[in-house]
Amino acid sequence: MSFTPGPAPPELGYNVICRDRKTDAHGGVLIAAKTTLGLSHLKSGKDTELISGSININQKKKAIITCLYRPPNRLDQQTANNAIQDITDLPKKHKSSIFILGGDFNLPDIDWKNYTIQGTQTSRDINNAFLEMAANLNIQQLVDKPTRGDNTLDVLFTSHPGQLNRCKTIPPLGNSDHDIVLLDFSHGLQKPKQQKRKIYLWKKANIAMINQHLKEKYNIFKNTDFEDVNSLWTNIKGLILDAINQHVPTRNTLTKHSHPWMNSELRRLSNKKQRAYTLAKSSGKTRDKKKYKFLKAQLQKEARQAHSNYMEDIVSNDLEKNPKRFWSYVKSRKQDASQIVTLKSKDGFLHSDTDTKASILNQQFQKEIQRSLEEDLWKSQFDQFCTSI
């Protein structure tokens, strides 16, 4: 059992890591990546055909890529447990990295769309072990088509399904009897910048002035002849919004991403710490450095306490009545982008620009409305027919 890190022939521009069989020309696993990605070897399976490496996504982010081959004739539970243990150790050691796992698992009994077991070719314990592994690691299986005959033997898991562009099978190479799994993955997604929003401060609203404003405009509205319902609604809406904008104070939300447990005291302390850091860096004085370190420790302590109090609050008994705070916390902890993924148009091409995706969704929405209207019309005609009998 060995692995061979290092570059492929220079003209190819790839780094390769692999785990070969010592006494058999068949089997083995290999990962190849362009030299610009900085592929480095992380782990090789001792009793399993597994290899794992790390590539650089950007200056801060890495992706852990793991390849596993589970021979169909290795039916003992211990081999499966060893493979699962080797896989499970990787995300634990690299918690902030994107995790991608792929290979020929030879598990034809598993229906990966529903995560259920449908056959008896492999022992139920082995199938259950890999299903539990996917659930425990919170990784999603992406291949939804057969890769050999009618069976999905080659699978791909990821910890960041929101960055998936497409996953499909293509014809095999050479004399292989397995289709190739092609995965397009967006590695550069960032959390979208939070846009400013106007918030009306209704607790400070001048209700008396709003009523007076609407009374003054009522006679003009009453004596106006409108062409249709749309113009009538537009006029009413304009009057109400004009009254609100004049007599209800507003403020804008922050554009900088903020954790949901951050409050005004923590923000003031954070700004104070930042000013102390700037002063310490420019002056170089020991006194200024000590002040900065003191404020930094104080901010960390109070932020941890605020986070703890927030967590106790959102998991309290009123979670079902007010779930907004809980889901705000979940959103703040996500590592991938909260945006619409790449969409496929009628011509079969993938589109990532905002305008085209909006157009695709609009077309789909119009289809759904048309289908709903047709169903309602059919039901109405059927009810009339039944009534007339």
Side-chain angles (χ1 to χ4, degrees), residues 38-101:
L39 175 65
S40 60
H41 175 260
L42 290 179
K43 185 175 187 176
S44 295
K46 295 181 179 179
D47 301 316
T48 56
E49 295 185 57
L50 178 142
I51 192 78
S52 182
S54 170
I55 62 173
N56 299 319
I57 300 272
N58 51 45
Q59 294 180 349
K60 296 182 179 180
K61 201 77 171 176
K62 290 182 177 292
I64 308 302
I65 300 178
T66 303
C67 181
L68 170 71
Y69 174 60
R70 195 192 75 83
N73 58 346
R74 298 294 299 271
L75 301 177
D76 57 295
Q77 185 68 39
Q78 188 58 46
T79 300
N81 291 340
N82 291 340
I84 291 171
Q85 186 61 52
D86 288 338
I87 293 169
T88 304
D89 290 341
L90 290 164
K92 290 181 179 179
K93 294 180 181 179
H94 307 274
K95 294 182 179 179
S96 61
S97 299
I98 296 172
F99 186 65
I100 299 175
L101 167 66

Side-chain angles (χ1 to χ4, degrees), residues 199-304:
I199 298 177
Y200 290 100
L201 306 178
W202 286 100
K203 290 184 179 180
K204 299 181 180 180
N206 192 333
I207 303 299
M209 290 300 298
I210 293 176
N211 291 334
Q212 182 179 341
H213 178 95
L214 294 176
K215 287 179 180 179
E216 292 174 354
K217 301 293 183 180
Y218 174 72
N219 289 331
I220 301 175
F221 172 78
K222 185 176 66 172
N223 297 324
T224 302
D225 294 329
F226 298 101
E227 296 179 357
D228 52 30
V229 174
N230 289 330
S231 58
L232 173 64
W233 162 244
T234 301
N235 190 275
I236 294 175
K237 181 180 177 182
L239 291 176
I240 296 174
L241 288 178
D242 188 40
I244 291 174
N245 290 328
Q246 289 188 37
H247 305 295
V248 180
T250 62
R251 71 175 179 86
N252 291 327
T253 59
L254 298 174
T255 58
K256 186 177 180 181
H257 173 72
S258 177
H259 294 296
W261 58 87
M262 289 290 289
N263 52 41
S264 57
E265 294 182 5
L266 287 176
R267 290 192 181 94
R268 280 196 294 267
L269 186 57
S270 177
N271 294 334
K272 193 175 180 180
K273 183 210 73 171
Q274 188 61 37
R275 290 193 296 269
Y277 170 78
T278 304
L279 178 61
K281 188 176 180 180
S282 60
S283 68
K285 294 181 180 179
T286 304
R287 179 186 61 186
D288 295 333
K289 291 180 180 178
K290 287 183 178 180
K291 182 179 179 181
Y292 162 68
K293 290 182 179 179
F294 171 77
L295 291 173
K296 180 181 178 181
Q298 185 180 3
L299 176 61
Q300 289 177 341
K301 180 180 178 181
E302 295 192 12
R304 290 193 186 103

